Amino acid sequence: MTLSINTLLIIAIGLFYIAFFLTTRTTMNKFTSLDEIYSRNNRRLSFVLSLLDNKFEGSVESLRELKNIKQNLIIDDRKTLESTKPLKKVAKREIKKLRNASRIRRKEASILLGLIGTQTSRQALENALIQEKDYATKIYISNALTDIHDPASIPVMIKALMGTHKWYREKAISNILDFGYAFQTYFDSNSEVLDIELIELQIAYAGENFNQSTKAYLFDFVNHYEARYQLSYDYYLEKEKSAYKASYLKEDFKKLLSQTCRVLSNYYYMDFIDQKYYQSANPIIQTNAFWALSKHNATDNFKILLHYAGDQKNQKAITATLTKMIEANPLFLYLLEDTFEQTVDETAKHTLSQVLSNRIEYYILKLNTKNDSRAERIIARVIQSGRVNELIGFININSNEDIEHRLASLVSDYIAADSNVGIEIRTYSAKRFLSRCHMSFTPIEPPVQVKKGKREPKLILSVAIMTLLSLIIFPAIFIVMNRTAFGSVLNTRLLTAYVINFNYVLAYYSIAINLVYITLMLLSYSNVRRQARLWNLKNISMLFRNKMLPSISIIAPAYNEEKTIIDSTKSMLNLQYPDYELLIVNDGSQDLTLRKLIEAFKLVRVDYQYNESLKTAPIRGIYRNPSFPRLVVIDKSNGGKADALNAGINVANKTYFCGIDADSLLEPEALLRLASLTLDESIETPALGGNVLPINGCLVADGHIRQIRIPKNRLARFQTIEYIRAFMTGRMGWQRINSLLIISGAFGLFRKDRIINIGGYLTEKERFKKDTVGEDMELVVRISRLMHEIKHPHKILYAFNANCWTEVPEDVKSLKSQRYRWHRGLLDILFFHRKMLFNVKYGRIGLLVMPYFLVFEAIGPMIEFQGYIMVVLAFILGILDTRIALLLFASTILLGIIVSLTSLLIAERETHYFTFKDLMRLLSLAIIENFGPRQRFSFWRIEGQLRVIFGKSNWGKIKRRGMLNE
C-alpha cells in the first residue's frame, strides 16, 4: 500500500512532536533533583516512619540514613504503637497487600510490616510466610521477621523451611541464625531429626555458635555419618516427599559433611587429629583431618603427613598441608629433605618434590655453599617434575653468574630441549641464560596472543554465502517479478524501477528494525521501573546479612595496562559488597603492569593452592599482601583475554565470578546492585550484566570517579550515545522477556560452576579447541543453550543501575578495529551456535533472538549499505520524489532519533549522570549521530565481514590514553 504525501507529512510531524516531547521531558527531568526522586520513591516508607515516631522528619537525609541501618531501631514502645489508630489502619492495609497478586506489592508490604513490627504485623507476616509459594517473595517476608527479631517467630520460620528449594533454605537459615543464642532451645530439641532442611539448620548453627552442645552434635554427625545418611534415606523413601527426592540426598549429605569437617578442622582441630579421622575411609573426613594435623605444628603431626605422601589420591591435600606446616615452622624443611632423600616410592618422591619446589629459590641460593649436593639433587628433581615456572622467575631476575652457570648445567643435564619443559624454558627464560645451556637450547620467541580471526573454511564459506545472498536476493526477486518486461522495456526504465523499489525496501527495513527498538524501549522502561522499585525495598541490613548475596570473585585480565591498572585496582578494592575477592590476571604484559602492582600494593610471591579445572597458559606465580586480603595478583604467560579469565576462574574461590576489563572502574555500589537482582528471582540466575559507560573525560582520583563528564573527543561522545542506547534500550528490553544473550565483557557476573561445566571461555586450550573474538556474548549463548538443553529454568538478568566505566577508542583506527572484532565475533557465534537458529527447542532464544541477530545485526548492514547506494542513485537519476524522501527520512532518521532520545530519558530517570550542559550536548548528539556517524559505524561492520571472507585476520590494537586524574 502506497502512502500519500499528506499521510507521510502527518507521520513525520507526529514523529517530530514525539522527538520534541522526549527532548523536553529529558530536559525537565534534569530540574527534578535526585532528592525529589528519592523522596518520591520512598513516600510510603516516609509516611510509615512518621506514624511510628512523631519526631521523625521525612527528609532525604533521614531516609538515606535509615536505609543504612535496621529500619525498626527507631521504635521505642511497640505496645503503645499497637493501639495507634492511624498505624493500625496502615498495618491493616499492608496486611491485605500480602495477598495481592503482584509479587512486588507483596514484597513492599512485607518490608513495611517488618518496619512497623507490632504483634499483629508479625503474626500476619508469619501466616504469609507459610502460605507464600514464590521463593523470592518468601525471602523478603523472612527478612522482615528477622528485622522484627521476636524469638516467637523462630518456630514458624523453621516450619517454613520444610520442603523448600535450596536457594531459599540457605538464605532463610541465615535469617534464623541472626536470632543468635535464642535458637539454642530449638537446637537442643532437634538433635535427632532426619529432615534435610533441619539437619542443614542444625549444622549451620553449630558452625557459628561454639559450645559443648554444638561441638558434640558436629562430632556425632561425623562419627555416625553413614548411619545418619541411611536413616534419612530410608525416611525419604518411605515418606515419598514430592518436594525433595531421596536421590538428591547423597550429594547434599556430602556437602554437609564437608561443612562439618571444615568447622571441626578449623575450631576443634585438637580433637579432630585423632587417628580414626586421618585413617578414615571417607576421603572428606580424611582430607579435613590432614588439615587439622597441619594446624598443630607438632613434629609427630608432620611425620604423619609425610607417611601419606605416597598415597596418590591424597597427593594434593598432603602437598598443601606440608607446605603450610613448613611456612609456619621452617625447621620442618630439614625433616622433609631427609625423607625425600630416603624414599624410593616414586609417588611419594613426586609429592615431596612438589612441596620442595615452593622453596626453589632457597635451594638455588644453596648452590653457592659447600654442602650443595643435596640442593642440586632437589633442584634436578623439581626440574624433572616440570615445576619450572618458579625457576624461570628466578632466572630472569638473577645477576649471579656462578649460580647461572650451575643452573644452566642442571637444565642441560636433566631436560631435553624439545620436551614440553624444555620448550617452556626456551620460551620464557632470559636469552643470556639460554646461551649458557647446551647449544640445543635456542631461544623461542614467546607468543603474544593478539586476537585474530583464525581462518575457518566453514565459517568463511557460510559468511560468503550469506553476504552473496544479501547482495543478490533483491535483484533476483526483481528479475523474477519483472521477467516479462526484459527485452521489451528500456534498461533505464528497469533500473529506475529497481532503484525506487529498493528505496521502499530500505524504508520498510528501517521501519521494521526501529519498531523492534521501540518495542525493546517500552519493555526497557517497564523493566527500569520494576528494578527501581525492587532496589528501593532492599536495605543494608538485608543485603549484608550472611549468605543473602552470593560470594563473588572479581577477575580482571590485564595486558599492558600500566596506565590504568593502579586506579582500577584501587577502585575495585573499595567496592561495597559483603563477600568478594579481587583477582588481577597479568596476561604476560610486556610493559610495567606487574611491577606497578607489586610496588603499589607491596606484593610478595606466595604458594597458593588452586584447582586447574580449565586448561590455560602456564601460571608463573601468584602474589599477595596480608594488608590487602581481598587482592590476588596472578602472573601468567600470555594467552589472550579468554585464557586469562579461565586462569582466574581456576584460582577463584567464590560462588560467582565477575569478569571486568582491567582498564575499567566500577561504581562503589555496582556489584551490590547487580548481585541484589538474585534476590528477586526464584529460579537460577547463571549470568548477570550491568551498564558500561565511557570514562573518557571523567575526573578520576585514587580509583574513584570524582566528576562525571562526557568525553571531549567527538568519536568518544558519539560512543556515549551508542552505549546508552545499547544498554538502556536493547539489553534491558531483552532481559524483560528473559531473552538476553549479550553481557558486556567489561562487566559481567557468572556462576562459576556453570561456566566450568560448559568449558569456560572458548580458547584453543579448552575442550572446543577454538578461540573467539566475541567471548562475552558467546559465553552467554552457551549458558542459555545448556540450560535449555537440560530444561533447567533460569533467567539471565541485567541491572539498569549497576555501572562500570571504561575507556573507549578516541581515534578512527582503534574504533574501526574494535567494530571489526565485534562483528567478527557476532558472525562466529551465529555460525558456532547455528543449531539454535529457528529451533523451537530453545524457545524465544531460538525463534526470536538468534534470528534477530542474524537478520538485523549480521545481514542488516549489507541491506543498509545497498539502500544508501540506491538513495544516491535515485538522487542522481532525479527520481527521488517527495514521497520516497519523506518515507526514508521518517523511517531511518526520525525513528532513530526517537530511540536515542528515549534511551537518554530512561538513563536519567532515576540517576542524573550528567551535568545540564553535558546533557544538552548529548541530546544534540542523539540527533546529529543519525546524519552520518551511525551509517559510518554500520559500514565498518561490513568491512569486518569482508575481512572474514578475504582472510584479513589482524584486528589491530586499541590505543589507551589512560584515565584523567586530578
Side-chain angles (χ1 to χ4, degrees), residues 452-687:
K452 295 184 178 182
K454 181 180 177 181
R455 289 188 64 81
E456 297 181 51
K458 291 183 179 179
L459 171 64
I460 293 170
L461 180 61
S462 297
V463 174
I465 292 172
M466 181 187 73
T467 305
L468 182 62
L469 286 175
S470 64
L471 289 172
I472 68 171
I473 185 68
F474 296 109
I477 292 173
F478 180 80
I479 291 170
V480 171
M481 293 179 65
N482 296 274
R483 59 187 180 277
T484 57
F486 281 89
S488 59
V489 180
L490 292 175
N491 291 337
T492 53
R493 290 179 61 186
L494 286 173
L495 176 62
T496 300
Y498 178 75
V499 170
I500 293 172
N501 287 341
F502 205 100
N503 282 328
Y504 280 109
V505 169
L506 176 63
Y508 296 145
Y509 168 83
S510 298
I511 291 171
I513 193 170
N514 280 298
L515 284 176
V516 172
Y517 290 153
I518 289 170
T519 302
L520 291 174
M521 178 182 68
L522 295 173
L523 291 170
S524 175
Y525 187 79
S526 166
N527 202 14
V528 167
R529 291 189 62 187
R530 176 179 176 274
Q531 281 193 14
R533 286 178 68 183
L534 288 168
W535 170 250
N536 189 55
L537 297 178
K538 304 177 181 87
N539 59 11
I540 296 301
S541 67
M542 176 183 181
L543 294 174
F544 279 77
R545 189 165 288 135
N546 185 36
K547 294 185 178 179
M548 198 57 57
L549 295 180
S551 60
I552 296 175
S553 299
I554 302 174
I555 304 174
Y559 178 72
N560 292 348
E561 302 286 357
E562 62 179 0
K563 293 181 180 179
T564 60
I565 192 64
I566 303 303
D567 278 333
S568 58
T569 301
K570 287 179 179 178
S571 169
M572 289 182 280
L573 285 174
N574 288 286
L575 297 174
Q576 297 175 17
Y577 197 79
D579 185 6
Y580 79 96
E581 63 179 355
L582 171 61
L583 284 73
I584 305 292
V585 185
N586 178 51
D587 190 37
S589 297
Q590 296 179 325
D591 63 357
L592 300 178
T593 299
L594 181 62
R595 183 180 297 179
K596 286 200 169 188
L597 283 167
I598 291 173
E599 292 174 355
F601 298 101
K602 305 295 186 291
L603 303 173
V604 295
R605 192 183 188 123
V606 296
D607 305 323
Y608 199 89
Q609 300 297 318
Y610 60 91
N611 294 318
E612 294 185 12
S613 304
L614 302 170
K615 295 177 182 178
T616 69
I619 291 179
R620 299 171 183 168
I622 295 178
Y623 298 82
R624 300 200 70 182
N625 180 349
S627 299
F628 300 93
R630 295 187 190 273
L631 178 63
V632 179
V633 174
I634 303 166
D635 181 34
K636 64 180 287 291
S637 303
N638 185 268
K641 179 182 175 183
D643 188 80
L645 286 165
N646 283 345
I649 293 169
N650 284 340
V651 178
N653 287 310
K654 306 300 182 181
T655 306
Y656 279 70
F657 74 87
C658 177
I660 181 173
D661 290 344
D663 61 345
S664 302
L665 293 184
L666 290 178
E667 291 183 357
E669 283 191 342
L671 209 58
L672 196 66
R673 292 172 183 268
L674 182 57
S676 72
L677 294 183
T678 61
L679 293 175
D680 302 321
E681 304 297 338
S682 300
I683 58 177
E684 184 180 329
T685 53

Side-chain angles (χ1 to χ4, degrees), residues 367-368 398-408 436:
L367 291 175
N368 264 352
N398 173 55
S399 58
N400 187 308
E401 290 191 10
D402 292 336
I403 288 179
E404 194 163 277
H405 274 294
R406 292 290 301 277
L407 287 176
R436 301 180 190 277

